[in-house]
Amino acid sequence: MRETLGNLGSVMATLMFIWAMFRQYFPYKHIQKYSHRLMKFFYPYIQITFDEYSRGPPMRNEFYTAIETYLSSNTADQANRLRAKSAKNNQSLALTIDDHEEVEDEFEGVKLWWASGTIKAKTQTSSSYEQPNEKRYYRLTFHKKHLDLINNEYLSHVLTEGEAIKARTRRRKLYTNNNRWPTWSHVAFDHPATFQTLAMEADKKREVIEDLVSFSQAKDFYARVGKAWKRGYLLYGPPGTGKSTMIAAMANLLLYDVYDLELTAVRDNTELRKLLMQIPSKSITVIEDIDCSLDFTGQRKKMKENKAAEEEEKDPIKKQAKVGDSDEGKTSKVTLSGLLNFIDGLWSASEGERLIVFTTNFMEKLDPALIRRGRMDKHIELSYCSFESFKVLAKNYLELDSHHLFDTIERLLGESRVTPADVAEHLMRKNTSVADAETSLKSLVQALVMAKEEALLKAKEEGKEKESSAREED
Ligand SMILES: Nc1ncnc2c1ncn2[C@@H]1O[C@H](COP(=O)(O)OP(=O)(O)OP(=O)(O)O)[C@@H](O)[C@H]1O
Ligand SMILES: [Mg+2]
């Protein structure tokens, strides 16, 4: 036994001696260099690594997240081990490939391999953010003869595809401004309205959809003609005709976030500018009831009418009201020119793909400068419920395409003015029976008859009033 150990010891000593001599004459660096050359010769593949944090946490590398989404949707079925992450509403799960898995992808007939892995983090950042011990990465392997194709086409395909999937599946947000700070706070945007469920004449609806879709795809067009990539819509019509519903349908169609700007909570133009600057692309900025938001309608006219202004100065009551609007006052000092300058000016210079939507119940009250074409590119009227709109509502609410009461309803709708909101209220079912649908329609017929009688009465009274005022004038 002792002899064997002695022999082993001398063998080890000899090996150590040989290794020391070898390292002296063939340094390790050289070995590595030559082994890499040898590898290159026999291994004609290129590998690209995409780290999760290219600049350190907490900012994840955009490309990494795009790859993660792309692989999850295209190749997850190939992996044996998947990682689950909560997605949309925390109600569904998104599956991504787990660490140390390899999947295959194909692009224009070229095969590529993606592998996921982790490495131990070595460095410590100076930031207060605690760095994770392990860093994830994706590694792409492909034959070197395809380098150009991968570099010029495949990687941008992965990026755009990944981002598109993310936009489709991410939870969208509804932002609102509060009156303490010029910042936005948000909640999840889960409005179920779509253009399909929106009660509106089919032609008009198609026109709006086409307009929106062509806008969202017109990046190159806007760049070519030198126009900022934004579009303004003015939705006008009586209360309850679906203006807010249409905005939700627009957001759902284009998958944009909604920024609901409450102008009365904005103190001045500087604050307005700060808020608008925070709005990113792929967003709809909404200003509801623009006629009520501020004294927009009057402000410009006042400036023009110097005489009226002078009179105002003299009138003590009006003057006092003006002081209330001054710097010290708490009322909003946002001006029409401030808003318009921003819509046309600085805002347009930043990244595009923005919609701005104004709504109003009183189109005629608005300052023409606000609604001129080019600023508000499209004016959409949402009006009282037509028979065509009713049919959409009947389909949505009662799942009915026809009914023996439809003819009566068509006639009554032509003779009265009711909003889609009123009609929808009557079509709300208590249960799903056929009899219940009949009850709903009957209650609608009754309401329409009443609306017709009220309208007749009102017309009569108005006629009488006119007559008496004419007589008084005489
Ligand atoms: N055109 C429509 N299509 C489908 N539903 C509608 C339509 N118009 C109104 N409704 C129904 O009526 C309700 C009120 O509509 P909405 O809030 O969109 O009206 P609005 O025009 O924005 O009114 P307001 O001027 O008071 O803000 C909605 O919740 C929706 O259910
Ligand atoms: Mg509304």
Side-chain angles (χ1 to χ4, degrees), residues 385-387 408-417 448 452:
C385 195
S386 63
F387 181 60
T408 320
I409 292 172
E410 183 172 9
R411 181 176 49 79
L412 287 169
L413 280 173
E415 294 164 353
S416 55
R417 289 171 129 200
L448 289 176
K452 186 183 153 187

Side-chain angles (χ1 to χ4, degrees), residues 333-447:
K333 276 185 68 206
V334 175
T335 57
L336 174 64
S337 61
L339 183 70
L340 298 187
N341 281 345
F342 219 87
I343 295 175
D344 292 346
L346 257 181
W347 201 43
S348 308
S350 48
E351 206 190 344
E353 205 174 351
R354 298 155 201 261
L355 291 181
I356 177 151
V357 183
F358 288 170
T359 74
T360 181
N361 296 140
F362 306 100
M363 171 79 155
E364 63 285 351
K365 266 198 192 177
L366 297 182
D367 190 308
L370 186 70
I371 55 173
R372 73 155 166 79
R373 300 275 167 180
R375 196 164 272 144
M376 287 295 115
D377 304 278
K378 204 159 172 58
H379 298 178
I380 303 169
E381 184 180 12
L382 287 128
S383 191
Y384 292 106
C385 195
S386 63
F387 181 60
E388 212 174 323
S389 306
F390 160 76
K391 281 210 287 196
V392 178
L393 292 174
K395 180 95 186 132
N396 292 346
Y397 286 75
L398 305 174
E399 294 168 53
L400 280 183
D401 286 316
S402 61
H403 192 273
H404 67 91
L405 283 173
F406 273 22
D407 288 341
T408 320
I409 292 172
E410 183 172 9
R411 181 176 49 79
L412 287 169
L413 280 173
E415 294 164 353
S416 55
R417 289 171 129 200
V418 288
T419 62
D422 292 331
V423 174
E425 192 53 41
H426 289 280
L427 300 187
M428 287 288 274
R429 275 190 187 211
K430 313 297 172 289
N431 56 56
T432 51
S433 70
V434 180
D436 192 45
E438 175 110 12
T439 323
S440 301
L441 289 177
K442 275 185 183 160
S443 99
L444 175 64
V445 170
Q446 257 177 7

Side-chain angles (χ1 to χ4, degrees), residues 164-180:
I165 299 166
K166 217 158 69 187
R168 275 202 301 274
T169 53
R170 89 191 161 93
R171 195 174 195 196
R172 272 164 313 109
K173 290 174 184 153
L174 167 66
Y175 292 82
T176 45
N177 58 313
N178 54 45
N179 48 11
R180 281 230 228 118

Side-chain angles (χ1 to χ4, degrees), residues 245-256:
T245 313
M246 183 183 253
I247 295 170
M250 285 174 163
N252 285 335
L253 176 75
L254 298 179
L255 306 172
Y256 286 179

Side-chain angles (χ1 to χ4, degrees), residues 17 26 51 130 305-306 341 376 441 451:
F17 176 74
F26 301 96
D51 291 320
E130 209 175 295
E305 293 162 9
N306 284 336
N341 281 345
M376 287 295 115
L441 289 177

Side-chain angles (χ1 to χ4, degrees), residues 43-57:
Y43 186 77
Y45 292 96
I46 292 180
Q47 292 190 328
I48 306 177
T49 306
F50 301 90
D51 291 320
E52 185 172 12
Y53 301 105
S54 54
R55 272 171 283 156

